[in-house]
Structures are given as structure tokens and as C-alpha cells.
Amino acid sequence: MTEEDIRRNLTDAGCDGALIRQYLEAARSGDRGKCTRLLEHRRGALLDEIHGAQKRLDCLDYLRYQLQKKREEI
């Protein structure tokens, strides 16, 4: 995988310039452990975003459910 491929992949994953630079520096120096830690950290951040979005969806769904329930009572 070329550096350009890695850069494109990290960009597509939503990584910022600083993380991309850190990753590429670690990759150039052969520090696979650091590369893995950087990827795991980003993955965790993305999961946190997903869980936050899921919680917001759950709140909206609950409100929709309550509205539907009130309509059926009428």
C-alpha cells in the first residue's frame, strides 16, 4: 500500500491532517504499534459518534412513539 493510498484511506475515514501525519511518520519509522494505537483511537472516536447518534435517534423515536400513542387515544 502506498503512502497516497494510506492517506486517502485515512482521509475517507475522517482523520484530520495531524493524525494522518502522525500515522505516516510512524509507518515510515516502522512503528506498527503506534500505527495500531492511532487507528484504534480513531475507531473508538467513531464508535462514540455512532453511539451518540444512536442515542439521539432513540430520543426522537420515543417522541414519535408518544405522539402516535396520543393520536390513537383520540
Side-chain angles (χ1 to χ4, degrees), residues 8 16 21 25-26 29 35 47 52 57 73-74:
R8 188 176 317 111
D16 63 16
R21 281 188 298 280
E25 287 171 11
S29 68
C35 289
L47 279 174
L57 281 170
E73 292 174 357
I74 297 175

Side-chain angles (χ1 to χ4, degrees), residues 1-2 4-6 11 14 16 18 21-23 26 31-34 43 51-54 57 64 68 74:
M1 188 171 235
T2 67
E4 186 55 38
D5 292 335
I6 294 169
T11 299
D16 63 16
R21 281 188 298 280
Q22 289 177 329
Y23 183 92
D31 190 346
R32 291 184 180 170
K34 184 172 182 177
R43 186 176 190 282
H51 293 149
Q54 182 63 55
L57 281 170
R64 290 174 57 223
Q68 181 66 33
I74 297 175

Side-chain angles (χ1 to χ4, degrees), residues 54-70:
Q54 182 63 55
K55 184 176 179 181
R56 292 187 297 274
L57 281 170
D58 291 345
C59 290
L60 289 175
D61 287 345
Y62 177 74
L63 185 57
R64 290 174 57 223
Y65 167 77
Q66 292 298 321
L67 287 170
Q68 181 66 33
K69 190 172 153 184
K70 289 219 183 264

